[in-house]
């Protein structure tokens, strides 16, 4: 499918979405509802805080929806050993995708060895269990040069995706950042846009800019909006 064909196909758009609930006050009932909605709509994954991994895995058993969780969230400033331990626990519990926050302060301090090693170690442990690793850059806190460096380090460390934002900092994804990230990592690495994506038009802009995964808590309303905007079969054929 071309990008435009994907963006006119509800099922294809659903497979771009990580259906997300990371609010600290989320209840088990809300996590169950998130999982049920993801199963119904066949989203790519649910993204939940580590406490809810086991619950989500159980709820989504025998479905194609993957369970994603976060590591070092939302600041990225944990000791690397803490992140590695957190990742290991989540993987043992059944998580199939890890969204880790890079060490932003280390990157901005020029400690590229630490940033690279942390990502590489997490990529190794994820891949050893058949999971994938996404690296959250928190683009709103970085210069364009720092964003490029972060992307290059993630590529070198064999991460699977770079991701714009946690959604918990000053701002979220922008079209300009997604374009920069795609240009830097090339065509083969994943780019996830996340933070502030609440409408189908915003999702569309991010995909056309180079994102191939979208993190959002508004997946249901986005698909509904898309469905309303698509021409009906009758209007396409001229039938009444």
């Amino acid at each position: 499918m071309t990008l435009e064909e994907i963006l006119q196909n509800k099922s294809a758009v659903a497979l771009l979405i990580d259906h997300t609930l990371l609010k600290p006050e989320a209840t088990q009932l809300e996590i169950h509802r998130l999982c049920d909605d993801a199963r119904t709509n066949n989203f790519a994954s649910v993204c939940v805080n580590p406490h809810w991994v086991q619950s989500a895995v159980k709820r989504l058993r025998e479905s194609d929806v993957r369970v994603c969780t976060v590591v070092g969230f939302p600041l990225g400033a944990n000791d690397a050993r803490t992140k590695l331990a957190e990742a290991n626990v989540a993987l043992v519990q059944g998580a199939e995708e890890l969204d880790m926050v890079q060490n932003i302060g280390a990157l901005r301090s020029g400690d590229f060895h630490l940033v690279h090693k942390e990502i590489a170690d997490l990529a190794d442990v994820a891949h050893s269990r058949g999971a994938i690793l996404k690296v959250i850059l928190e683009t709103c806190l970085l210069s364009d040069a720092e964003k490029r460096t972060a992307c290059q380090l993630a590529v070198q460390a064999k991460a699977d995706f770079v991701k714009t934002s946690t959604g918990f900092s000053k701002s979220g994804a922008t079209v300009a950042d997604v374009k920069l990230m795609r240009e830097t990592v090339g065509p083969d690495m994943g780019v996830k846009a996340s933070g502030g994506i609440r409408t189908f038009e915003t999702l569309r802009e991010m995909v056309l800019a180079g994102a191939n995964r979208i993190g959002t808590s508004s997946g249901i309303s986005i698909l509904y909006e898309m469905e309303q905007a698509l021409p009906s079969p009758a209007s396409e054929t001229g039938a009444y």
Side-chain angles (χ1 to χ4, degrees), residues 158-188:
K158 303 188 184 316
D160 301 286
F161 278 76
V162 286
K163 174 179 169 181
T164 58
S165 321
T166 62
F168 284 76
S169 191
K170 295 189 293 185
S171 61
T174 69
V175 167
D177 283 340
V178 171
K179 284 182 177 178
L180 181 152
M181 291 161 69
R182 175 55 69 198
E183 289 168 1
T184 305
V185 302
D188 297 327

Short mmCIF file of all heavy atoms in Angstrom, two decimals, residues 158-188:
data_model
loop_
_atom_site.label_atom_id
_atom_site.label_comp_id
_atom_site.label_asym_id
_atom_site.label_seq_id
_atom_site.Cartn_x
_atom_site.Cartn_y
_atom_site.Cartn_z
N LYS A 158 21.32 -0.33 17.69
CA LYS A 158 20.40 -1.35 17.17
C LYS A 158 19.02 -1.34 17.84
O LYS A 158 18.39 -2.40 18.04
CB LYS A 158 21.01 -2.75 17.25
CG LYS A 158 22.34 -2.86 16.49
CD LYS A 158 22.83 -4.28 16.40
CE LYS A 158 24.20 -4.40 15.75
NZ LYS A 158 24.39 -3.59 14.53
N ALA A 159 18.56 -0.15 18.19
CA ALA A 159 17.16 -0.01 18.61
C ALA A 159 16.28 -0.22 17.37
O ALA A 159 16.75 -0.16 16.23
CB ALA A 159 16.92 1.36 19.22
N ASP A 160 15.01 -0.44 17.61
CA ASP A 160 14.08 -0.70 16.50
C ASP A 160 13.33 0.56 16.05
O ASP A 160 12.96 0.66 14.88
CB ASP A 160 13.07 -1.77 16.92
CG ASP A 160 13.76 -3.07 17.29
OD1 ASP A 160 14.22 -3.77 16.37
OD2 ASP A 160 13.87 -3.35 18.50
N PHE A 161 13.10 1.46 16.98
CA PHE A 161 12.38 2.70 16.69
C PHE A 161 13.05 3.86 17.43
O PHE A 161 13.64 3.65 18.51
CB PHE A 161 10.94 2.65 17.22
CG PHE A 161 9.94 1.95 16.36
CD1 PHE A 161 9.89 0.56 16.31
CD2 PHE A 161 9.00 2.67 15.63
CE1 PHE A 161 8.95 -0.10 15.55
CE2 PHE A 161 8.03 2.01 14.87
CZ PHE A 161 8.02 0.62 14.82
N VAL A 162 12.89 5.05 16.90
CA VAL A 162 13.05 6.27 17.69
C VAL A 162 11.66 6.88 17.83
O VAL A 162 10.82 6.76 16.94
CB VAL A 162 14.03 7.28 17.05
CG1 VAL A 162 15.46 6.81 17.21
CG2 VAL A 162 13.71 7.53 15.58
N LYS A 163 11.42 7.50 18.97
CA LYS A 163 10.10 8.01 19.31
C LYS A 163 10.24 9.45 19.78
O LYS A 163 11.19 9.80 20.47
CB LYS A 163 9.49 7.13 20.40
CG LYS A 163 8.16 7.61 20.98
CD LYS A 163 7.67 6.62 22.04
CE LYS A 163 6.49 7.16 22.83
NZ LYS A 163 6.02 6.23 23.87
N THR A 164 9.30 10.29 19.43
CA THR A 164 9.42 11.72 19.71
C THR A 164 9.37 12.06 21.19
O THR A 164 10.25 12.76 21.71
CB THR A 164 8.32 12.52 19.00
OG1 THR A 164 7.04 12.04 19.43
CG2 THR A 164 8.43 12.43 17.49
N SER A 165 8.35 11.56 21.90
CA SER A 165 8.00 12.19 23.17
C SER A 165 7.36 11.22 24.16
O SER A 165 6.79 10.20 23.76
CB SER A 165 6.97 13.32 22.91
OG SER A 165 7.26 14.04 21.74
N THR A 166 7.43 11.60 25.43
CA THR A 166 6.70 10.87 26.46
C THR A 166 5.24 11.31 26.54
O THR A 166 4.38 10.57 27.00
CB THR A 166 7.32 11.09 27.85
OG1 THR A 166 7.23 12.50 28.17
CG2 THR A 166 8.77 10.64 27.90
N GLY A 167 4.98 12.56 26.15
CA GLY A 167 3.66 13.15 26.37
C GLY A 167 3.54 13.79 27.75
O GLY A 167 2.49 14.33 28.09
N PHE A 168 4.63 13.75 28.53
CA PHE A 168 4.61 14.28 29.89
C PHE A 168 5.57 15.46 30.07
O PHE A 168 5.79 15.89 31.19
CB PHE A 168 4.95 13.18 30.89
CG PHE A 168 3.82 12.22 31.14
CD1 PHE A 168 3.51 11.24 30.20
CD2 PHE A 168 3.05 12.28 32.28
CE1 PHE A 168 2.47 10.35 30.40
CE2 PHE A 168 2.00 11.39 32.49
CZ PHE A 168 1.71 10.43 31.55
N SER A 169 6.13 15.97 28.98
CA SER A 169 7.05 17.10 29.09
C SER A 169 6.39 18.36 28.51
O SER A 169 5.16 18.45 28.48
CB SER A 169 8.37 16.78 28.38
OG SER A 169 9.36 17.75 28.69
N LYS A 170 7.18 19.29 28.01
CA LYS A 170 6.66 20.60 27.63
C LYS A 170 5.75 20.57 26.41
O LYS A 170 4.84 21.37 26.28
CB LYS A 170 7.83 21.56 27.39
CG LYS A 170 8.64 21.85 28.64
CD LYS A 170 9.63 22.97 28.41
CE LYS A 170 10.72 22.58 27.43
NZ LYS A 170 11.77 23.64 27.31
N SER A 171 6.03 19.65 25.49
CA SER A 171 5.19 19.50 24.31
C SER A 171 5.43 18.13 23.71
O SER A 171 6.32 17.39 24.15
CB SER A 171 5.46 20.61 23.28
OG SER A 171 6.81 20.56 22.85
N GLY A 172 4.64 17.80 22.69
CA GLY A 172 4.72 16.48 22.10
C GLY A 172 5.30 16.47 20.71
O GLY A 172 6.22 17.24 20.38
N ALA A 173 4.74 15.61 19.87
CA ALA A 173 5.27 15.41 18.52
C ALA A 173 4.98 16.60 17.63
O ALA A 173 3.94 17.25 17.74
CB ALA A 173 4.66 14.15 17.92
N THR A 174 5.93 16.87 16.73
CA THR A 174 5.73 17.87 15.68
C THR A 174 6.10 17.25 14.35
O THR A 174 6.92 16.33 14.27
CB THR A 174 6.57 19.13 15.89
OG1 THR A 174 7.96 18.81 15.69
CG2 THR A 174 6.37 19.72 17.29
N VAL A 175 5.50 17.77 13.29
CA VAL A 175 5.82 17.30 11.94
C VAL A 175 7.29 17.52 11.64
O VAL A 175 7.96 16.65 11.07
CB VAL A 175 4.93 18.02 10.91
CG1 VAL A 175 5.44 17.78 9.48
CG2 VAL A 175 3.48 17.56 11.04
N ALA A 176 7.83 18.67 12.05
CA ALA A 176 9.24 18.97 11.78
C ALA A 176 10.16 17.95 12.44
O ALA A 176 11.14 17.51 11.83
CB ALA A 176 9.57 20.37 12.25
N ASP A 177 9.84 17.55 13.66
CA ASP A 177 10.69 16.58 14.36
C ASP A 177 10.60 15.20 13.72
O ASP A 177 11.61 14.50 13.59
CB ASP A 177 10.30 16.50 15.84
CG ASP A 177 10.84 17.67 16.65
OD1 ASP A 177 11.79 18.32 16.19
OD2 ASP A 177 10.29 17.93 17.74
N VAL A 178 9.41 14.82 13.32
CA VAL A 178 9.26 13.51 12.67
C VAL A 178 10.04 13.48 11.36
O VAL A 178 10.73 12.50 11.05
CB VAL A 178 7.76 13.19 12.44
CG1 VAL A 178 7.60 11.95 11.56
CG2 VAL A 178 7.06 12.97 13.77
N LYS A 179 9.97 14.56 10.58
CA LYS A 179 10.75 14.63 9.34
C LYS A 179 12.24 14.54 9.62
O LYS A 179 12.97 13.80 8.93
CB LYS A 179 10.45 15.95 8.61
CG LYS A 179 9.11 15.98 7.90
CD LYS A 179 8.92 17.31 7.17
CE LYS A 179 7.61 17.34 6.40
NZ LYS A 179 7.40 18.65 5.74
N LEU A 180 12.72 15.28 10.61
CA LEU A 180 14.13 15.24 10.96
C LEU A 180 14.55 13.84 11.38
O LEU A 180 15.61 13.33 10.96
CB LEU A 180 14.40 16.25 12.08
CG LEU A 180 15.83 16.40 12.60
CD1 LEU A 180 16.07 17.80 13.14
CD2 LEU A 180 16.16 15.37 13.69
N MET A 181 13.75 13.20 12.19
CA MET A 181 14.08 11.85 12.67
C MET A 181 14.11 10.86 11.52
O MET A 181 15.03 10.04 11.41
CB MET A 181 13.07 11.43 13.75
CG MET A 181 13.21 12.23 15.04
SD MET A 181 11.75 12.17 16.12
CE MET A 181 11.79 10.46 16.66
N ARG A 182 13.11 10.92 10.62
CA ARG A 182 13.10 10.01 9.48
C ARG A 182 14.30 10.24 8.57
O ARG A 182 14.95 9.28 8.11
CB ARG A 182 11.78 10.17 8.70
CG ARG A 182 11.71 9.36 7.41
CD ARG A 182 11.96 7.88 7.63
NE ARG A 182 10.90 7.23 8.36
CZ ARG A 182 11.01 6.06 8.97
NH1 ARG A 182 12.18 5.42 8.98
NH2 ARG A 182 10.01 5.51 9.63
N GLU A 183 14.62 11.49 8.32
CA GLU A 183 15.78 11.79 7.48
C GLU A 183 17.07 11.26 8.11
O GLU A 183 17.96 10.79 7.40
CB GLU A 183 15.89 13.30 7.27
CG GLU A 183 14.81 13.87 6.36
CD GLU A 183 14.75 15.40 6.40
OE1 GLU A 183 15.58 16.01 7.13
OE2 GLU A 183 13.88 15.97 5.73
N THR A 184 17.16 11.31 9.43
CA THR A 184 18.38 10.90 10.12
C THR A 184 18.52 9.38 10.18
O THR A 184 19.60 8.84 9.95
CB THR A 184 18.43 11.48 11.54
OG1 THR A 184 18.28 12.90 11.47
CG2 THR A 184 19.76 11.15 12.22
N VAL A 185 17.44 8.68 10.49
CA VAL A 185 17.56 7.22 10.66
C VAL A 185 17.42 6.46 9.36
O VAL A 185 17.75 5.27 9.30
CB VAL A 185 16.52 6.69 11.68
CG1 VAL A 185 16.68 7.39 13.02
CG2 VAL A 185 15.08 6.82 11.17
N GLY A 186 16.93 7.11 8.30
CA GLY A 186 16.75 6.42 7.04
C GLY A 186 15.45 5.65 6.96
O GLY A 186 14.61 5.72 7.86
N PRO A 187 15.27 4.87 5.89
CA PRO A 187 13.97 4.24 5.63
C PRO A 187 13.69 2.97 6.42
O PRO A 187 12.54 2.52 6.46
CB PRO A 187 14.04 3.92 4.13
CG PRO A 187 15.51 3.71 3.87
CD PRO A 187 16.23 4.68 4.78
N ASP A 188 14.71 2.37 7.01
CA ASP A 188 14.53 1.03 7.57
C ASP A 188 14.17 1.01 9.06
O ASP A 188 13.61 0.03 9.54
CB ASP A 188 15.81 0.20 7.36
CG ASP A 188 16.10 0.00 5.89
OD1 ASP A 188 15.14 -0.09 5.10
OD2 ASP A 188 17.29 -0.03 5.52
#
